[in-house]
Amino acid sequence: MISLTIDNQPVEVEAGATVLEAARKLRIDIPTLCHDSRLKPHGACRLCIVEIAGMPKPVTSCTTPATEKMVVTTQSAHLNRLRKTTVELLLSDHPNDCMICIGSGDCKLQELAYRFNLRGSRFRGKMRAHDRIDENPFVQRDQNKCVLCGLCVRVCEEIQGVGAIGYANRGFESKITPPFEKELSCEFCGQCIAVCPTGALSGKLWVGYPRQQGLEKTETTCSYCGCGCNLTLHTYGKSIAKVTSRQDNHNRGWLCVKGRFGYEFVTSNERLTTPLIRRQKGGSLEPASWEEALDLVASRLLDIKSKHGPDAVGGLASARCTNEEGYLFQKMFRAGIGTNNVDHCARY
Amino acid sequence: MAGLAAKFGSGAMTNSVAEISDNKALLVIGSNTTENHPIIGLRMKEAVRNGAQLIVADPRRIPLVKFATLWLRHMPGTDSVLLNALMHVIIREGWEDRTFIEKRTEGFDAFAEGLKQFTPEFAENITGVPADDIVSAARIYATAENAGIYYAMGITQHSFGTNNVHAVGNLAMVTGNLGKHGAGVNPLRGQNNVQGCCDVGCLPTDLPGYQKVADAKVREKFGKAWGRTLSSEPGLTASEMTEKMLAGTLKGLYIFGENPALSDPNMNHSIKAFENLDLLVVQDIFLTETAELADVVLPSASFAEKEGTFTNSERRVQRVRIALDPPGQAQSDLAIIKQVYRRIDPEGVSENATAESVFNELTALWPAMAGMSYERLETEGLQWPCPTDDHPGTPYLHRESFAREGGKALFTVVPHVLSKELPDEQYPFVLTTGRQLFHYHTGTMTRRSTGLDKISPAPYIELNPEDAASLGIEDTGLLTVTSRRGSIRLKARVSGIVPPRVVFIPFHYKEAAANRLTIDAMDPISKIMEAKVCAVRLEK
Amino acid sequence: MSRKITVNVCMGTGGIAAGGSTVMEAFRQEFAEVGVDNARVVEKCRLHKVGCRGFCARDVLVDIAIDDQSWTYQYVDEKMVKRLVAEHILDNKPVEQWLVGDDYHTFHDNQEKIILGVLGHIDPESIDEYIGIGGYKAAEKVLATMTPQDTIEEIKRSGLRGRGGAGFPTGLKWSFCAANQADRRYIICNADEGDPGAFMDRSVIEGNPHAVIEGMIIGAYAIGADTGYIYIRAEYPLAVQRLKIALAAAKERGFLGKGICGSSFDLDLKIKLGAGAFVCGEETALIASIEGERGMPRAKPPFPANKGLWGKPTIINNVETLANIPPIINRGAEWFTSIGSEKSKGTKVIALTGKIRNTGLIEIPMGMPLKKIIYDIGGGIEGDRLFKAVQTGGPSGGCIPQQHIDLPVDYEGLKSVGSMMGSGGMVVLDETDCMVNIAKFFLTFTQEESCGKCVPCRIGTKRLLEILTRITEGEGKPSDLDLLQELAEDVRDASLCGLGMSAPNPVLSTLKYFRHEYEAHIFQKKCPAKVCSKLLTFYIRPDHCVGCGACKKACAVKAISGELKQVHQVDQALCIKCGSCFDACKFNAVIKE
C-alpha cells in the first residue's frame, strides 16, 4: 500500500493506483472529461490537473501514479483558472445549442460549463464545420460537438478490439473518423455512444423521445444470450426510448448491438394482443376472449389425459422466459397433470 | 449438460465470466464467442491484452481468431479427436497434474489407455490440424498456471456431443484446471435463461435443482411439498416428443416462448409432427411459425413487461422488472400459466401467487438457491450455490470436491466417432449452421428490430472462394442448397471464413431456413441435435 | 617529385543542392583527362566527398590540400574545375580570386568544434576513415575496461545535458533507466529534427554517422539495452542512406550484432522512418509512432526511462547528445567540463540564420555571449540595418531583445530571458521584422503541428493565432493584450507535452520585450516595422515624384492616378496595399507608413 496526502487528508491506495483514484477514494471531486476508469488513462482533456509538491507544473491526476509520501493539492486558484480556460476553449469550438441537443442533461461539457459558470467564451473564433453523414441505422454522429476526448476511439480499440474509428488530421482540424474516411464498418455495439461525454454520439433510435423529463428508468436483465447483461430501460409511455447499462454491474456497462439496439420488437405492431383459437381443424385462427381460450386449453388437456393418460400430454418450456414461469410450468405438468413430459428447446 | 453432470456432478459454467480476464491461457472451441456471447468475448479480449495466450479451435475463421495466439482449424465434427490428441501430447510430455489426478479424480488409467491411438499425426489426418500446432496448443494450455476452456454449441450440437463434452472435461481434469480461479470448463449458454430453465426443472428427468425424478426420496420430497403424488415414469425429451407425436401417442402439446417449427432440425419433419397433434397450444409474443400451426395461441408479455428472474451462463440469478404494460390483452407467461394451472388444479397454485412467491417456493426446494430472495437480488445478482441468507454466492465450483458421490471427478474414455452424415459424391459439402452477431435464434425478436434487420436483412451461405470458383458462382449470386431432407435457395457470401468443402448458414432466416436441411440425428444421451454437420449439395 | 594531394568536396545536403555532385564528377573527368593518377603525377591524389562544414551559404566549398597545406574555394561550380586543376593542382598556383575570404576564417575560428570538427574532413560513407581518426576507440574502451555503472558515472561527471531541447542531464537519465528492473530496455536515437530551419542533426548524420552509432553502443551498454532504434524522418534521404551504409559497415566490423568487440554485449540497431510530424520529436509521441500508433504524446510520468517503448525502460537521446559521447569517453569527463559554462558543459551546435551576413551551422562553447555569435561568427547584420532581436530555440523558443545582447548562450541564460536552447535554432531579426508578425509566424507553425490530443494546445494555439492575426490586421482590441497574455500562460501551463507547453513562448517573450509593437498595432493601427500590410498606408511624396508613371503601371487595381510628368496620387479607398508601387518607384517617392 502507498500512503499519500491529498488536500491535507491522508489516504492509502494499492501500488499502481493513480492520483485520481486516490482522490476519488477520498471522495474529492476532480473534474474529468476524457477519463473512464474502464479504459487506459489518456490525459488529453487536462481538467484533472493537480499540483504535486516537487513537480514544477500541474500534472494530470488520471495518468500520474500515486507514490509514497506524495503531497497533492487538487484545488487552487491557478488550477481553477487553467481548468476554466480549458472549458472555455472547448466551448469556443462547440455549437452550445443545448436546448436542442440530444445530449442535454447527460452531457459532461454542459455540466462543466455550469460548474465554472460559463455562459460563453472569451475565445470566440473559427469553429469546425463537419458535414459528414453516417449511413447506418444506429449511430448518430454530430461531429461539431466532438471534444476529441478519444473515449470512442479507445473503447473501440481497447474494449471491443475492433478499431473502427481513429484520428485524422492534426491540430484544430483533428477529427475522429473511420479509416480513410470510408463508411463506418463496425459491430454497432454502441460502446462509443455509451462513453461519449457530449451529444456528439447518440443513438438514432433515441430520436423522437424526450431526453430526460418524462423518461422512466427500469433496471432489468437482457433477454438475448446467456451473458445476462444488466440493462436500464428508459421508457416513455408505451415505448422504449433507449437502453443503457450501468458501469457498476458485472458487464461493466458494455452491451452488444442486440442488447443496446435490438429492443424495437417489444413495441412491434405484430405483437399478439388477444388470444386466438382455431375453432375447427383446417380453419383459421380467430380472436377469442381469455376465458374461452383458457377454458379450452385446460379442458382439452384434461380431456386428453382422461382418455389417453397423463403421458399423452407434453410441455415445452422456454429458455427465454423467467425461472418462475419455468418452475410453475413444470409443476403444472408434474403435479397438476401427472407427467414428466416437460422439456425445453434450448438444445437447438 | 448431461455430459458435464456425469463427470463433475453438475452441468454449468464452473467459473465466472469476470475470471476470464485472469486466465493465463484460454481454449475456445466450438464457440463463436464475439458474435454469440459478445460481452463474454470482451473478457476474452481483455485476457489477451493482459498477456494470456488464446487458442481458438474452429473450422471457421471466426472474429476471435484475430486475437488468437494459435488457431486450430479442424474439420467440423472432429473436436473430440483434436481434444484427445491434445491430451495424448500432455501425457506423453508429462505436463499432466499428477496431484490433481490422484486426489480429485477417478478412472485415469483406463482413460489414459484410451488416448494411446490419438497421436498428433493420427489427429492431423482426421482433423486437418498440423501435428506441430497440436503440440503447441497442448503446451500452451497445459503449462499455463491457470487455463480455462470455453465452448458452446459447436461442441454439443453433434450426434456425439456428450462425447465431446467428456473430452473437454477430461482435458481440464488432466491438467488440474478445475476448482480454482480463472480456469474451469465453461459451456456458454446460447439463450438468456437456458441455465435457469434447467435449474427449475424443465427437464424430463429432473425436478428443480437437478433432483432426479428417478429417485424415490426426491419424488417424495416434492410430492409432499406440492401435495400430490408424482409420476416415476421418466418424461420425454423434446425430440422424443416429436417422434411420439408422429406415432400418435403424444396428443397434446403446450409450448411457450419457443419456436421449434423453425429451430428444430429437419424442420419439415417437426412440422408434420405438430400437425398430427390433437391439441397444440402456443404461448408467445408473436405469431411465430410454430404458433401458426397451433389450435390455441395465447398472447404473452415480453421481458420488458414482466417480473421474475433470469439465470445467466455463469449461474447468476438476476431480476427482471416491469418497464411497460403488455400490449392489448397480452399477459405475462406467469399469469397465463397460473390461470391454466388453476383450471387444471385449483390447489396447485394460489390465485394471489406472484413472481416473488413462486420464486420463494422454488428456493425452498433447492438448497443451492436457498439463500436467495428478491430483496437480496434487488441491486445485484447472486451466483448459485448460495445456500444461506448470508452466503455471498459462488464464483467458481468444485473448490473442495465434486458434486458426485465420493466427491471425485470421473475420467471418461472418449472413442473416435464420426458424424452421422458425411459428405459423399452426391452431397459433397459439409454444412454447419450457427448464428451471427446481428440476429438471435429464429429472429422473432431481432428481425422485428428495424436496425438489426437493416444491417443483416437476408439469408446467406458462406462458401470458400475456391469452391465458389469451381461452381462458377460470384459473391451475392444465388445458390440452391439441398440435403437429403430439403432444399433452400439463398445468396452466396464468398469468403475465406469457411475452409474449402465446408459451408455455413445462419439459421435465423425463415425464408431460407437452414433447418430444412439439417439432420435430425441426435446425441443419444443429451438428445441434442446434430446441427453442426450434415451433407449438402450446391447448385447455381 | 611526388606530392600528396587531397580534394575535399562538400557533399552534405547543402553541398549537393549547390551542385556538389556535378563538381565532384567534373574533377573526376578532369583528372582522367589530364592524367592525374597514382602512377604518373602524384603519390596519392584523392578525390574525397566530405560532410557539411556549416557554411552552406558558400557552397560548393572545395578544399585542395597539397601535402600539408590546404586552400578552400567557395561558390565552386563545374566550370571552374578545369582551371583549378590546371593551375592549382598541376602548376601549384592557387586561384586567388576564388578562395574564401577572411570572413570564412572568422566564421570558423571563433567556433569550438567537438561534433562538427570532422564533418568537412572524412568520407561519411567510409568506416575506415572514421576508424582512422580514432573512431570506435571509445566503444572498445567502454566494453573492455568499464562497467555500465562506470560509464554512466563518467557521463554524469561530464555534465553532458540533452541537446534535443530540455537539457536534462544525460548521465542521470541513463541511471534512472538502468535502475529499473526489466527484462528488456531500449535505446532510441531521436533524429526527428522538426524545427523549421534546423539541420544540425541531419548534418551530423550525413557527415559522421558512425559517431552517432558509437554513442548509441555506449549508451546501450550503460543502460543494458540490446535493441535500439534510430527514428529519423523520411525527408532526410541522404542521411538515411548514409546511416544504412554505416550500420551495415559497423555490423560487418563487429561493432554491432552479437558479442561486440569480443565482449558479451549484443546490440541490434534499426532505422525507423518518421513521416515528418513535428510532434514526433516529442519522446512519448516518438515512442507511440515506433509502436505503430498515431504519433500522439502520452502523459508523463511515467517517464520513458521507467516505462517507454512497449512499456519497457527506454532512453531517448538526440543525435548531437549521442555524438558527444565518444569524445567524452576518449578524452575524459574533465576535458569536457573544461569547455562551456558553469552548468552547461561542452559545446552546442547552432543553426544560425536570419538577417545576418554569415549564415550556417556553427558550434560554440556553451556560454558564448550572443553578441559574439552574431557579430564575430555571424559577421553582423545584413545591410546597415539595426539589430532588433534574436529568436532562439526553434518555433517554440522566445525572442531576445537588444538589451540582452551580452547574454551567455547556455541552458540557464536563455531560460532566464524567457527563451530556450531547444535544438539550437537561432534567427537574427532586424528593424524590418515585425515582432507581432514573427509571433504569428511561429504560432502558425506550432498550431498546425499540434497533434490535436489535448485541449489547450489544440484549441488554445488556434485561438492565440487568431488573436495575433486580428492584431496584425488592425482588428485588435485593447482587451486582446490581456487575453493573449492569459491564454498564452494557460496553454503553457496546461498542455500535455512540450509542444503545447512551449508553443506560447514566442507570444510571451514578444509581449514582454516588444509590447510597444503590439500596442502600436492595436491603438494606433500601425505596424512600426512596416510589415503588416493591412496597417500600411501607401502615398506618394509630391516633392520626389517625377510623374514617370511606373507606379501607376504597376498598380493592379488602378488605385494610382496622375498624368505623365505630373505628381501621382494613391486612392486609399482602392489601394489593396500590395506594395507593387513601392517596389516600382525608382525615386523613393512612394512611402509606406
Side-chain angles (χ1 to χ4, degrees), chain A residues 179-254:
Chain A
F180 308 106
E181 309 222 11
K182 290 190 172 156
E183 200 48 56
L184 184 64
S185 163
C186 82
E187 296 179 356
F188 297 109
C189 61
Q191 251 67 290
C192 53
I193 296 176
V195 296
C196 181
T198 71
L201 290 174
S202 59
K204 282 196 179 159
L205 301 178
W206 306 353
V207 176
Y209 292 104
R211 298 170 294 188
Q212 306 292 330
Q213 285 289 317
L215 289 187
E216 275 185 58
K217 288 188 194 176
T218 308
E219 298 297 328
T220 190
T221 305
C222 181
S223 71
Y224 282 109
C225 75
C227 292
C229 297
N230 294 170
L231 302 182
T232 306
L233 303 184
H234 301 247
T235 50
Y236 180 69
K238 293 181 167 183
S239 309
I240 299 177
K242 66 176 166 184
V243 170
T244 59
S245 183
R246 294 203 329 256
Q247 280 192 37
D248 57 356
N249 57 31
H250 69 90
N251 51 293
R252 297 178 291 183
W254 307 135

Side-chain angles (χ1 to χ4, degrees), chain A residues 158 160 221 224 226 228 230 258 264 271 273 276 278 290 295 312 320 324 327 331 334 340 343 348, chain B residues 45 49 191-192 201 203 233 238 251 264 292 295 297 305 313 318-319 329 343 361 374 437 450:
Chain A
E158 285 177 37
Q160 205 65 20
T221 305
Y224 282 109
N230 294 170
K258 295 186 286 284
E264 289 166 286
R271 280 287 298 276
T273 54
L276 303 171
R278 196 184 309 277
W290 272 110
D295 286 348
R320 324 294 324 285
E324 293 76 1
Y327 172 82
K331 183 182 171 189
R334 289 190 159 115
N340 284 310
D343 199 5
Y348 311 129
Chain B
K45 295 173 193 172
R49 275 201 307 282
Q191 301 185 45
N192 59 324
L203 293 168
E233 190 68 26
K251 297 189 176 292
D264 263 12
E292 281 175 16
D295 299 292
V297 177
E305 300 146 3
S313 243
Q318 307 188 94
R319 292 280 298 275
Q329 299 175 39
R343 280 166 168 77
E361 184 180 323
Y374 271 26
L437 177 64
T450 52

Side-chain angles (χ1 to χ4, degrees), chain B residues 142-164:
Chain B
T143 59
E145 189 184 322
N146 52 305
I149 307 175
Y150 302 87
Y151 68 90
M153 298 301 201
I155 281 289
T156 55
Q157 284 184 339
H158 293 278
S159 54
F160 44 85
T162 304
N163 245 355
N164 286 345

Side-chain angles (χ1 to χ4, degrees), chain A residues 40-71:
Chain A
K40 281 189 233 158
H42 193 50
C45 75
R46 317 306 292 169
L47 289 168
C48 72
I49 48 173
V50 294
E51 286 158 0
I52 294 176
M55 291 199 187
K57 58 183 293 263
V59 293
T60 43
S61 57
C62 70
T63 59
T64 307
T67 55
E68 189 63 29
K69 299 208 173 76
M70 194 178 243
V71 178

Side-chain angles (χ1 to χ4, degrees), chain A residues 42-44 46 57 63 78 81-82 85 89 92-93 122-126 147-148 167 169-172 174, chain C residues 277 294 296 299 301 449-456 458-459 463 466 477 486 489-490 493-496 501:
Chain A
H42 193 50
R46 317 306 292 169
K57 58 183 293 263
T63 59
H78 187 220
R81 170 177 151 181
L82 294 181
T85 296
L89 285 171
S92 76
D93 184 31
R122 290 173 293 164
F123 310 115
R124 66 183 166 78
K126 188 191 163 190
V147 292
L148 272 305
Y167 298 89
N169 299 350
R170 285 203 286 241
F172 188 75
S174 296
Chain C
R294 175 178 160 100
M296 290 205 301
E449 292 292 343
S450 162
C451 78
K453 179 172 175 176
C454 78
V455 179
R458 180 178 78 240
I459 309 179
R463 298 294 176 241
E466 285 172 346
K477 295 170 294 187
E486 285 172 27
E489 287 170 2
D490 291 353
D493 293 346
S495 287
L496 194 166
M501 291 179 207

Side-chain angles (χ1 to χ4, degrees), chain B residues 520-538:
Chain B
D520 51 354
M522 65 172 109
D523 183 89
I525 299 160
S526 69
K527 314 292 181 189
I528 293 180
M529 67 184 272
E530 180 148 77
K532 298 303 179 195
V533 180
C534 76
V536 294
R537 152 177 104 220
L538 308 179

